[in-house]
Amino acid sequence: MKYNFQNSDPQLIYKLLASTVVPRPIAWVTTVGSSGQANAAPFSFFNIMGSQPPIVALGIQHRADGRAKDTLHNIREQKIFGINLVKRDDAQQMNLTSADYDSAVDELKEHQIETIVGELLPLPLIASSPVKMECRLYQEIPTGENQAIILGEILMLHLIDEALIDAEAGYVDATQLNLVARMHGRGWYSEPSALFEMLRPDRHKD
């Protein structure tokens, strides 16, 4: 089957992409509004995009009615945000925060999610997350009438000690993070299971 995206329904395009570009890491994004109201929401259109400087990218689409999501509004306003990666034990709470809450609702309080305050930025970070990133807005790239890419510069990384093989060298055992990722359909996720290793080949020599 072939799909010409130039002539396809946007919902069909979304379903196909979200079900085939898998697994996708989940950024559980925490932000604060101008009134001090905290917000938490998960996004799987997310990944790292460089290390010098360290850049993460979030693809954020608007609500069905065309309004910007609270996460996007807060990032635009405050220029900072937190990214919390999701371990298996937190998957249910993460899923609860994906509901379309009113802006006045603090999802962290609503679901009794424990937080800590960032070291460098005045942000709530999810205490149980094995990997937390304090980010400041690097650039916003509009990619359509109702969507945008947010590039953030990571200022500080919080990483659980249990996952470190060599802290100074930066060697991490990712299996110890036990992170979940998004798969196909509305409710499917994956977790680390059948891993395999392939070493990068040496440079070809004539």
Side-chain angles (χ1 to χ4, degrees):
M1 186 69 181
K2 299 177 182 178
Y3 297 90
N4 185 341
F5 280 0
Q6 296 175 93
N7 304 311
S8 297
D9 176 74
Q11 283 300 312
L12 176 63
I13 293 173
Y14 175 85
K15 290 175 183 177
L16 289 168
L17 291 178
S19 296
T20 54
V21 183
V22 293
R24 298 190 307 279
I26 302 168
W28 203 0
V29 182
T30 45
T31 58
V32 176
S34 58
S35 64
Q37 180 78 7
N39 176 269
F43 295 87
S44 67
F45 287 4
F46 154 70
N47 219 310
I48 53 172
M49 294 293 143
S51 60
Q52 295 182 332
I55 297 293
V56 292
L58 293 171
I60 303 181
Q61 296 180 303
H62 287 195
R63 291 186 174 99
D65 62 7
R67 292 181 299 132
K69 291 181 178 178
D70 295 335
T71 297
L72 182 57
H73 177 78
N74 290 346
I75 292 174
R76 286 171 170 170
E77 190 175 69
Q78 302 299 313
K79 314 298 184 188
I80 59 174
F81 58 98
I83 287 179
N84 310 268
L85 301 189
V86 183
K87 67 178 183 178
R88 181 65 180 86
D89 290 347
D90 288 339
Q92 289 292 342
Q93 284 187 303
M94 175 275 297
N95 190 45
L96 290 173
T97 65
S98 69
D100 191 10
Y101 288 98
D102 185 88
S103 299
V105 175
D106 180 338
E107 293 87 351
L108 296 165
K109 288 183 179 178
E110 181 77 10
H111 299 293
Q112 299 178 333
I113 299 170
E114 184 180 353
T115 62
I116 62 172
V117 179
E119 291 280 333
L120 298 180
L121 301 174
L123 285 166
L125 300 172
I126 295 169
S128 57
S129 170
V131 183
K132 299 179 270 287
M133 305 173 188
E134 299 181 43
C135 307
R136 66 182 173 197
L137 178 62
Y138 185 83
Q139 185 180 0
E140 177 182 346
I141 305 171
T143 56
E145 184 177 348
N146 291 314
Q147 64 181 35
I149 295 172
I150 292 293
L151 298 180
E153 181 179 2
I154 306 167
L155 301 185
M156 177 166 282
L157 178 75
H158 304 243
L159 178 62
I160 56 170
D161 292 340
E162 299 92 309
L164 285 168
I165 298 171
D166 185 326
E168 289 190 10
Y171 294 146
V172 177
D173 180 358
T175 63
Q176 296 300 310
L177 304 175
N178 199 26
L179 300 176
V180 297
R182 283 293 276 122
M183 293 293 291
H184 59 284
R186 288 176 177 257
W188 286 97
Y189 294 80
S190 68
E191 54 188 327
S193 53
L195 304 182
F196 66 94
E197 182 181 22
M198 285 197 301
L199 300 178
R200 178 178 287 187
D202 292 333
R203 183 179 177 181
H204 177 72
K205 297 180 180 179
D206 295 329

